[in-house]
Each structure stands twice: as structure tokens, then as C-alpha cells.
Amino acid sequence: MSSQSQILLIGFLFLTTINFAQSNETILQKRTYTTTSIQNMVPIKIDGNIDDEAWNAVEWTSEYVEFQPDNGTPPTEQTKMKIVYDDKNLYVAFKCYQKDPETIEQRMGRRDDFPGDWVEINIDSYGDDRTGFSFTVSASGVKGDEFISNNGNFDSSWNPIWYTDTQVDAEGWTAEIRIPLSQLRFGADYEQTWGIQSTRRYFNNEERSTWQPLPANPPGWVSEFGELKGLVGLKPQKQLELQPYVVGQLDTYEEEQGNPFRDGDDARLTGGLDAKIGITNDLTLDLTINPDFGQVDADPGAVALDGFEIFFQERRPFFVENKSVFDFSFAGNDDNLFFSRRIGRSPQGQAIGPNIAFVDQPNNTTILGAAKFSGKTQDGWTVGGLASLTGKEFAEVIDTVGVERSDLVEPLTFYGVGRVQKDFNNRNSYVGGIITGAIRRMDPNLSFLHSHAYSTGIDFKHNWKERKYYVEGSAVMSNVRGSAEAIARTQTSITHLFQRTDADHVSVDPTRTELTGTGGRFEIGKGAVGNWRYNVGGNWRSPELELNDIGFLRQADDIRQYANIRHFWNKSTSWYRQANLGFNQFSSYDFQGNYNRMQYEINGYINWKNNWWTEAGASHKPRIYSNTVLRGGPRWRWNEENFFFLFSGTDNRKKFSMHAGYVHSDAKQNNFSFRRYVLRFFYQPLNSLSLSLINEFEQNPNKTQYVTESSFNGTPRYILGAIDNESLSTTLRVNFNINPNLTIQYYGQPFIFNAKYTNFNYVNNPTAKNLKERVTWYDTNQISFNGGQYDVDEDQDGVTDYSFGDPDFAFVQFRSNLVLRWEYIPGSEIFLVWSQGINGIGDPSNDFGTIIDNQLLGQQPRNTFLLKATYRFVL
């Protein structure tokens, strides 16, 4: 460990000791509410009017306490709650007092949008202090529902069937909720106690109050719930839902003369089925056959100059719902043993060969079917299983003499994931495991792919001292198998780079047919409660670790140490509501022992009294080495870097609000720099209409951007250039809500990336501190541009020694989605979708305005018109 890290760790431990000695946080008493059955009474009508006789069976509970911003104080407006039940439903009523009903904010939004004033109930029917079900209703009647896992992770992809209505009266507003018991999970005990919590948002003051009082920065969410008693004789309800769908789709695009695959339009009619089957009340089986995700937003535009894969979030409903059950993020960032976007990925093969005239390449692999098994048992077992089969994909080819053929570009593939966790120690601890696999039916034409890919892992977490302190960790192992070609391809990929010329601990073995690696993490810290939060930890990824068949791994061969400490100011004052300030540090090494990176950062956030906010930070990076910049060449040194950022925004409660941000980075000797400008506008002229416009502009010049590798008299030449690259994106979203169940949404984003190269140079001493010693610049007598390529006469003997192509490029993209969504009965929907898309290579010699005119607006977009109808049978 470096002396800097040792000093930081000693200081951290000193602060920890002081804080531990002075820690004296108050433990809040848990509240209890006793409900009763209304089985023999007239059923409650859900209309927002709390006037049914059955409500008189229980008393109101009130005395909500402010959680934010003035923790522990009486709220500006009080709230009341009632809960009753029968053999099929749980009923909840809320009375939200507001002195001036005219000030109730009844903004509309799509499901899970949480607009305006709202109130919610959270239910821990498992009674495990880690898992819950959240039901939210806004004053305008918009529903929100979330599944809560790991004591505080909210998953809004969960969409149960439930019923609600609201009314505004002279005292404020009211809400009624009916939750079918089939949508909850609970045991078979005759008498049960559930955890409950209720939260109200009072929009005028941007204030949160809770029924069960909470300390600022609580040690968890579900573990702090109060108790619901009086539940007697409830019988678990097995869920059985079928949702068939039918889709009609028409694609139109620019016709390509002579190409039978591009005749101007394509049409198709398809159908499929989704099902949700309660195996027990605790465990649910989700099935999908021939799933369709045509209504899902397209990915945003992005370009990666470093050669690494870009991570995009999962958006498909089947894979998003209950995603937390299968999550196994073991080393920070996006690295995970299961990345569901591998299922249905773009085909990895291509139709290649001589005399090809036309190719129809599929964009995605067909998912023939998938099944997902998940839930949590009463004795503390969280289980999840997922299996999916994707079909063979073929590219249709016509050669120059008119012969047609089909080339296999993706084999039949099985994907499987199994996940389990077990609570113990009075639910203060858990231990878990995961196993994943991808198995392909191989074909000689796709021998570059792994035939088998497996990974397994274990994880644990232990909390103590009322969950204030914790220790957690994980360990993983991967194994991939395939032909010698496939394993060699893995060894030389950007993730591994075993061919690095100065790496003694790895080397390419062209005869290997198997690769096994490990990774993991260990961390200890204070998670919450009070004014301090801190941790120290480390993680590793061995050089041989490979997860990208069914998981996500950016870079292997890394060992990292980190430490973080943060102080919170939770009590509001005359000039701010809440604030925090933190310090972060990390260092990294590779498995050869090279000390590659050190970084220090300070950052903070403040929510001003007028509800504006500001976030700022600065970082110093005194040491930056990279094993990947030269794509298999020697380790590379970047110049020392400093950066800072500043973002601020106005009060988001206003009809119009905005954010502005700036990121500034510079390296010594002007090796590279980065500028990012962000401007976001949000406008809600009507309760039913909201608009947002997000603009981002980036500049990232670099004197030593990798271009290619060549050879000079048998010596490798790693050729770099000064790049001047800029990117611009604008994202427009429009939401029009006719009512909570009928919405129109528009999403549109143009994206432009332009990169120009000058001042080419080659690597001389890749780890020299001085940039002038690190590279050598070509002079005008050594390099010349000739017909789309650069010719280099390095020794100036009049003979070209090597050449490389012109690296200048521009990329343009436009994506838009116009979606009408109508939930005509709970759980059953109709989607009408119009999508547009443009992808292309622009002219890098043009400025942004010309690129927009010629390469973006001048192209005919691809249009997709889609009508999708689903019907949800609840059996």
C-alpha cells in the first residue's frame, strides 16, 4: 500500500473511532395499528369517498411525523389512515388534510410517475424486514407501485392489479385503495403481523411525513416499518394471470433499387403470450412465448473511442420486473454476473465472403420463450430462476449471379440463471449464491463463439448495532469453453489483452480451449443513521475472468482499494433544507503488481431553502496508467489530471424549472481535456401536459488518441493522433395524460458525433512522465495524405514504410417514439406506436449545422407503425 493510502486509512480509522465513541442516536419506538375483518359487511366501493359503513369497523390512525426536511417535527399538514380486510382484499383509506384545497397539486402522469401531491402505503407481508410492496396514489388518481428488495431498493417495473380513486373536499383530499390479496405474498399462519409504513408528500413545502417516525438517514427502509396486527384467518392466494397479445407492424424505409431486401416496406402480424402463475403464495412463475417489446424506447446515442462496449440499461418489461432478485453486482460499476440484454442480442456473426451482392442481416436474435421463477419463502429464502431459449438467426444473402442462400449468424442458445439468498441472525444477515450459464448449439461457421460459458458466485452481508454498521462481500468464478479460435479471441479482446507486450503475468496460448477466472469484493462501513456514513473496501477481477456471454464485464486484470466518508446536515436552517459533503479515494493495480491509478475526490450537495439545489465536486488524479490504450501494446501513462463539476437546478415544483451543469477536466501538458455542458428544461403548462428538453454538448480533445498499429522495420509502431471530437444530443419528451389510464408520450433524440485527427505521432517511451518523451511527432516530410490514407516515410528514404487509413469520421443518429397507451381495464393495454430512426455516417469535414441539414434532416427515416393489444385474464 502506498504511503498516501496509509495516511488516508489511518485518518479514516481515527474518524471512525471518534464517531463510534460519540454515537448516541435515538432508537424510535415501533408503532402498531390493529385492523379487523369486514368479511360479513357490505363491500367497500372504491370511489374516493370514505363513507362506506365498513370503514367504521376501525379507528383512524394519525400523528404522522415529518421525515424531510425537518426530521422529527410535526408536519405542516396532518394525515389519517384506516386499514380493513376481507378474505380477498386489503382496503386502505387516507384523509390528507390541506387548509386550502385550491393548493392541492393534481398533476397527471403515467403510472409510476409520482406527480404532485401523493400518499402511499408500504407493506412487508413477508415480515422479513427486507422485502415490501409499495402502493402510491396521487391526488389526481395516478397509480404507482414498486417492489422493495434488500431493505430499500425500489423496483417500479412491478405492475400488480389494484384499484384506487381520489376526491378533493373542503378539508383536503381523500384516497381509497383496494389491493387484491393475490398481489401480495404472505404465509399461512392463522394470526399474522405485517410491517407497514405510510408516506405522504405535501407538495407545497416539498415535505415528506411518515406514519412510523424515522431518523434522518435510516439504516434501511423495510426494517424500520411499524406493525399491522389483527390479521386473522387470511388464506394465501395463488396468482394465475394470462396475458395474450397480438401485434401488427408496418416498416417503411427508403427503397434501394435492385435490392430485393430493401423494397420500401415490410409488414408482419405476430402474437404471443405472457403468463404469471403462483406456484405457491410465496413463489411465482412468469412465462413469455415469442415476446414483443416494440413499445420500448430506443437506446440513446453514444460512441466509444476507447474500444469498450457501451453499457445500456435493460428496458424490456419481462426482464426488468423483479430484476433485483437476479442482480449480482460484485465489484462496482456495471459489472454483473447476469446482464439480461445478452438474451435477444444482435447476432454476433455476419454474412461474409466473395461475390455478395445483397444481405438482409437481422437486427436482433429471436427469443423463442423465457421462464422466470422468483419469490421469497416465509422462512427467509429468496429464490430466483430464469431460463430462456433464443433461436437460430440467419442472414439472407444474394450473390452477384443471383444465387440465394442463408448464412447462420447466431446459433440456438440456452441462457440460465439461478439465484438464492437466505436471511438469518434475526434478519440482520444474509448469505447467497448465484449460478449462470450460456450454452450454444455450435456450428463450424460460428466457431469464434464460446460453446459454454458459466459463472458462479457467493455473497453475504452482516449488520449490527441496530443496522448502523455492516460488513459485506462476494466472490465469483467464471469458466468459458470453446474452440482454440474462440478462446484466443477472448484472450486478445479489449477486456483481457493477454498479448500486451510488457505483461509478464499473462500471455496468449493459442491452444487453450478453456479459461477460468475469479473476482470479488469486501467492504466494511457505517451505512446510515446519524450524520456520518463511511466505508473502506476493495475488489478484484483476475485476468482470466470472463462474463460477457451472459453477464457484463468491462475490464479484467484489476485490483482496487477504495475509501469513502460523507457527512450529512439533516436539520434545515434559515438558508438550506439539507446538505452533505463527502470525500472519496481509490487506487488500482493489475495482477503484475503495477500501480496504475490514484484518485481523490471531494463532492457535495445542498438543497437550498427555496428548494433550488446545487451539486459540486473536484478531483485530483496524480497517477493514471492504462493497460488498454494501445490495444495490446505496452502500458501507457496519461498526464496528471484535475477536474471539477458544478450542477444546479431551480425548484422542480414550479411549472417551469431548469438544470444547468458544467464539467471541466484538464491534464498537464494539455495531454487531453474534457468539457461537458448540460442544460435541461422542464415545463408543465397544464396538469395533464409535461415537457422536458435535455441538451448536452461535449468536447474531448486529446493529443494522443489511439489510431492503429503498424510496423517499421519489424518494430511495432503504435500510431496516435491529436483528436478534436465533439458530440451533441438533444432529448425531447412530451407527456399528455388524458386520464390516469390513457396517455400519449413522445420521445425524440438527435445525436451527432464528429471526430477529426491531426498531428499524428507514434509511441516512443509509453511510461515517460513528459509527453514530449512519450511520443514522437511526424514532421511534414514523413507523412502525407494520399487518396483516403496517410503514407508514412519514417526514415525519409523516399519509400513509404507503412500506411494507415484516414481516421476522421462523423456519426449521426435520430430516434423517436410516439406512443399512445390505454389501460382499458386494469392489466390490459392497447399500444399505438410510431417510431422513426436514422443511422448514418456523416461527413467529418462539415460543421454540426451542415451535418444536421445534409446527413440528418436530408435522409429518409425508417418508420415503424405498430398496434399492440393485450388482455389480462385473472383466473
PDB file of all heavy atoms in Angstrom, residues 527-544:
ATOM      1  N   GLY A 527     -23.359   2.422   7.463  1.00  0.00           N
ATOM      2  CA  GLY A 527     -24.222   2.674   6.335  1.00  0.00           C
ATOM      3  C   GLY A 527     -25.138   3.854   6.503  1.00  0.00           C
ATOM      4  O   GLY A 527     -25.421   4.567   5.549  1.00  0.00           O
ATOM      5  N   ALA A 528     -25.644   4.102   7.687  1.00  0.00           N
ATOM      6  CA  ALA A 528     -26.632   5.162   7.849  1.00  0.00           C
ATOM      7  C   ALA A 528     -26.823   5.436   9.327  1.00  0.00           C
ATOM      8  O   ALA A 528     -26.098   4.911  10.170  1.00  0.00           O
ATOM      9  CB  ALA A 528     -27.947   4.757   7.191  1.00  0.00           C
ATOM     10  N   VAL A 529     -27.822   6.233   9.627  1.00  0.00           N
ATOM     11  CA  VAL A 529     -28.199   6.708  10.962  1.00  0.00           C
ATOM     12  C   VAL A 529     -27.198   7.771  11.415  1.00  0.00           C
ATOM     13  O   VAL A 529     -25.989   7.538  11.447  1.00  0.00           O
ATOM     14  CB  VAL A 529     -28.291   5.572  11.998  1.00  0.00           C
ATOM     15  CG1 VAL A 529     -28.707   6.156  13.355  1.00  0.00           C
ATOM     16  CG2 VAL A 529     -29.286   4.518  11.564  1.00  0.00           C
ATOM     17  N   GLY A 530     -27.728   8.921  11.754  1.00  0.00           N
ATOM     18  CA  GLY A 530     -26.867   9.986  12.219  1.00  0.00           C
ATOM     19  C   GLY A 530     -26.301  10.797  11.081  1.00  0.00           C
ATOM     20  O   GLY A 530     -26.795  10.791   9.959  1.00  0.00           O
ATOM     21  N   ASN A 531     -25.213  11.476  11.359  1.00  0.00           N
ATOM     22  CA  ASN A 531     -24.665  12.446  10.419  1.00  0.00           C
ATOM     23  C   ASN A 531     -23.484  11.943   9.606  1.00  0.00           C
ATOM     24  O   ASN A 531     -23.019  12.652   8.715  1.00  0.00           O
ATOM     25  CB  ASN A 531     -24.236  13.712  11.180  1.00  0.00           C
ATOM     26  CG  ASN A 531     -25.411  14.391  11.853  1.00  0.00           C
ATOM     27  OD1 ASN A 531     -26.531  14.339  11.351  1.00  0.00           O
ATOM     28  ND2 ASN A 531     -25.171  15.009  13.003  1.00  0.00           N
ATOM     29  N   TRP A 532     -23.000  10.723   9.913  1.00  0.00           N
ATOM     30  CA  TRP A 532     -21.818  10.218   9.221  1.00  0.00           C
ATOM     31  C   TRP A 532     -22.124   8.916   8.504  1.00  0.00           C
ATOM     32  O   TRP A 532     -22.865   8.082   9.000  1.00  0.00           O
ATOM     33  CB  TRP A 532     -20.668   9.977  10.204  1.00  0.00           C
ATOM     34  CG  TRP A 532     -20.065  11.240  10.743  1.00  0.00           C
ATOM     35  CD1 TRP A 532     -20.361  11.867  11.914  1.00  0.00           C
ATOM     36  CD2 TRP A 532     -19.045  12.019  10.128  1.00  0.00           C
ATOM     37  NE1 TRP A 532     -19.603  12.988  12.074  1.00  0.00           N
ATOM     38  CE2 TRP A 532     -18.781  13.117  10.988  1.00  0.00           C
ATOM     39  CE3 TRP A 532     -18.332  11.904   8.931  1.00  0.00           C
ATOM     40  CZ2 TRP A 532     -17.830  14.086  10.693  1.00  0.00           C
ATOM     41  CZ3 TRP A 532     -17.382  12.877   8.641  1.00  0.00           C
ATOM     42  CH2 TRP A 532     -17.137  13.945   9.509  1.00  0.00           C
ATOM     43  N   ARG A 533     -21.516   8.756   7.329  1.00  0.00           N
ATOM     44  CA  ARG A 533     -21.556   7.498   6.594  1.00  0.00           C
ATOM     45  C   ARG A 533     -20.162   7.287   5.990  1.00  0.00           C
ATOM     46  O   ARG A 533     -19.580   8.212   5.421  1.00  0.00           O
ATOM     47  CB  ARG A 533     -22.606   7.576   5.482  1.00  0.00           C
ATOM     48  CG  ARG A 533     -22.742   6.298   4.664  1.00  0.00           C
ATOM     49  CD  ARG A 533     -23.833   6.446   3.614  1.00  0.00           C
ATOM     50  NE  ARG A 533     -25.117   6.726   4.227  1.00  0.00           N
ATOM     51  CZ  ARG A 533     -26.214   7.031   3.534  1.00  0.00           C
ATOM     52  NH1 ARG A 533     -26.156   7.126   2.223  1.00  0.00           N
ATOM     53  NH2 ARG A 533     -27.354   7.270   4.165  1.00  0.00           N
ATOM     54  N   TYR A 534     -19.626   6.071   6.119  1.00  0.00           N
ATOM     55  CA  TYR A 534     -18.289   5.825   5.593  1.00  0.00           C
ATOM     56  C   TYR A 534     -18.090   4.338   5.337  1.00  0.00           C
ATOM     57  O   TYR A 534     -18.820   3.483   5.852  1.00  0.00           O
ATOM     58  CB  TYR A 534     -17.203   6.332   6.561  1.00  0.00           C
ATOM     59  CG  TYR A 534     -17.459   6.026   8.018  1.00  0.00           C
ATOM     60  CD1 TYR A 534     -17.258   4.746   8.533  1.00  0.00           C
ATOM     61  CD2 TYR A 534     -17.898   7.020   8.877  1.00  0.00           C
ATOM     62  CE1 TYR A 534     -17.485   4.466   9.864  1.00  0.00           C
ATOM     63  CE2 TYR A 534     -18.131   6.749  10.220  1.00  0.00           C
ATOM     64  CZ  TYR A 534     -17.922   5.467  10.706  1.00  0.00           C
ATOM     65  OH  TYR A 534     -18.156   5.198  12.031  1.00  0.00           O
ATOM     66  N   ASN A 535     -17.086   4.021   4.525  1.00  0.00           N
ATOM     67  CA  ASN A 535     -16.725   2.627   4.264  1.00  0.00           C
ATOM     68  C   ASN A 535     -15.313   2.559   3.710  1.00  0.00           C
ATOM     69  O   ASN A 535     -14.767   3.552   3.204  1.00  0.00           O
ATOM     70  CB  ASN A 535     -17.725   1.958   3.299  1.00  0.00           C
ATOM     71  CG  ASN A 535     -17.772   2.625   1.938  1.00  0.00           C
ATOM     72  OD1 ASN A 535     -16.762   2.770   1.259  1.00  0.00           O
ATOM     73  ND2 ASN A 535     -18.971   3.031   1.517  1.00  0.00           N
ATOM     74  N   VAL A 536     -14.718   1.385   3.828  1.00  0.00           N
ATOM     75  CA  VAL A 536     -13.467   1.051   3.155  1.00  0.00           C
ATOM     76  C   VAL A 536     -13.650  -0.327   2.541  1.00  0.00           C
ATOM     77  O   VAL A 536     -14.409  -1.155   3.050  1.00  0.00           O
ATOM     78  CB  VAL A 536     -12.254   1.048   4.117  1.00  0.00           C
ATOM     79  CG1 VAL A 536     -11.945   2.445   4.613  1.00  0.00           C
ATOM     80  CG2 VAL A 536     -12.497   0.112   5.282  1.00  0.00           C
ATOM     81  N   GLY A 537     -12.976  -0.574   1.442  1.00  0.00           N
ATOM     82  CA  GLY A 537     -13.131  -1.872   0.802  1.00  0.00           C
ATOM     83  C   GLY A 537     -12.181  -2.045  -0.354  1.00  0.00           C
ATOM     84  O   GLY A 537     -11.327  -1.193  -0.640  1.00  0.00           O
ATOM     85  N   GLY A 538     -12.355  -3.150  -1.015  1.00  0.00           N
ATOM     86  CA  GLY A 538     -11.540  -3.467  -2.174  1.00  0.00           C
ATOM     87  C   GLY A 538     -12.233  -4.506  -3.029  1.00  0.00           C
ATOM     88  O   GLY A 538     -13.153  -5.201  -2.588  1.00  0.00           O
ATOM     89  N   ASN A 539     -11.816  -4.594  -4.293  1.00  0.00           N
ATOM     90  CA  ASN A 539     -12.344  -5.615  -5.185  1.00  0.00           C
ATOM     91  C   ASN A 539     -11.274  -6.047  -6.169  1.00  0.00           C
ATOM     92  O   ASN A 539     -10.233  -5.385  -6.303  1.00  0.00           O
ATOM     93  CB  ASN A 539     -13.617  -5.119  -5.913  1.00  0.00           C
ATOM     94  CG  ASN A 539     -13.387  -3.837  -6.685  1.00  0.00           C
ATOM     95  OD1 ASN A 539     -12.553  -3.774  -7.584  1.00  0.00           O
ATOM     96  ND2 ASN A 539     -14.132  -2.785  -6.345  1.00  0.00           N
ATOM     97  N   TRP A 540     -11.530  -7.164  -6.816  1.00  0.00           N
ATOM     98  CA  TRP A 540     -10.566  -7.656  -7.800  1.00  0.00           C
ATOM     99  C   TRP A 540     -11.286  -8.369  -8.932  1.00  0.00           C
ATOM    100  O   TRP A 540     -12.399  -8.865  -8.777  1.00  0.00           O
ATOM    101  CB  TRP A 540      -9.550  -8.590  -7.138  1.00  0.00           C
ATOM    102  CG  TRP A 540      -9.993 -10.017  -6.991  1.00  0.00           C
ATOM    103  CD1 TRP A 540      -9.768 -11.041  -7.873  1.00  0.00           C
ATOM    104  CD2 TRP A 540     -10.760 -10.592  -5.918  1.00  0.00           C
ATOM    105  NE1 TRP A 540     -10.331 -12.213  -7.424  1.00  0.00           N
ATOM    106  CE2 TRP A 540     -10.945 -11.969  -6.221  1.00  0.00           C
ATOM    107  CE3 TRP A 540     -11.297 -10.089  -4.737  1.00  0.00           C
ATOM    108  CZ2 TRP A 540     -11.645 -12.823  -5.385  1.00  0.00           C
ATOM    109  CZ3 TRP A 540     -11.996 -10.931  -3.902  1.00  0.00           C
ATOM    110  CH2 TRP A 540     -12.164 -12.281  -4.228  1.00  0.00           C
ATOM    111  N   ARG A 541     -10.632  -8.370 -10.090  1.00  0.00           N
ATOM    112  CA  ARG A 541     -11.049  -9.129 -11.261  1.00  0.00           C
ATOM    113  C   ARG A 541      -9.783  -9.740 -11.847  1.00  0.00           C
ATOM    114  O   ARG A 541      -8.894  -9.011 -12.283  1.00  0.00           O
ATOM    115  CB  ARG A 541     -11.715  -8.233 -12.307  1.00  0.00           C
ATOM    116  CG  ARG A 541     -12.865  -7.379 -11.787  1.00  0.00           C
ATOM    117  CD  ARG A 541     -13.200  -6.287 -12.811  1.00  0.00           C
ATOM    118  NE  ARG A 541     -14.161  -5.320 -12.331  1.00  0.00           N
ATOM    119  CZ  ARG A 541     -13.901  -4.267 -11.564  1.00  0.00           C
ATOM    120  NH1 ARG A 541     -12.650  -4.072 -11.131  1.00  0.00           N
ATOM    121  NH2 ARG A 541     -14.841  -3.425 -11.206  1.00  0.00           N
ATOM    122  N   SER A 542      -9.666 -11.043 -11.835  1.00  0.00           N
ATOM    123  CA  SER A 542      -8.451 -11.678 -12.315  1.00  0.00           C
ATOM    124  C   SER A 542      -8.348 -11.523 -13.835  1.00  0.00           C
ATOM    125  O   SER A 542      -9.350 -11.280 -14.512  1.00  0.00           O
ATOM    126  CB  SER A 542      -8.431 -13.153 -11.931  1.00  0.00           C
ATOM    127  OG  SER A 542      -9.271 -13.907 -12.790  1.00  0.00           O
ATOM    128  N   PRO A 543      -7.146 -11.676 -14.409  1.00  0.00           N
ATOM    129  CA  PRO A 543      -7.001 -11.521 -15.862  1.00  0.00           C
ATOM    130  C   PRO A 543      -7.891 -12.468 -16.661  1.00  0.00           C
ATOM    131  O   PRO A 543      -8.320 -12.147 -17.767  1.00  0.00           O
ATOM    132  CB  PRO A 543      -5.510 -11.815 -16.100  1.00  0.00           C
ATOM    133  CG  PRO A 543      -4.844 -11.510 -14.804  1.00  0.00           C
ATOM    134  CD  PRO A 543      -5.837 -11.888 -13.744  1.00  0.00           C
ATOM    135  N   GLU A 544      -8.173 -13.666 -16.126  1.00  0.00           N
ATOM    136  CA  GLU A 544      -8.921 -14.679 -16.877  1.00  0.00           C
ATOM    137  C   GLU A 544     -10.431 -14.581 -16.685  1.00  0.00           C
ATOM    138  O   GLU A 544     -11.181 -15.339 -17.302  1.00  0.00           O
ATOM    139  CB  GLU A 544      -8.460 -16.084 -16.454  1.00  0.00           C
ATOM    140  CG  GLU A 544      -6.986 -16.369 -16.715  1.00  0.00           C
ATOM    141  CD  GLU A 544      -6.076 -15.847 -15.595  1.00  0.00           C
ATOM    142  OE1 GLU A 544      -6.616 -15.318 -14.583  1.00  0.00           O
ATOM    143  OE2 GLU A 544      -4.848 -15.954 -15.731  1.00  0.00           O
TER     144      GLU A 544
END
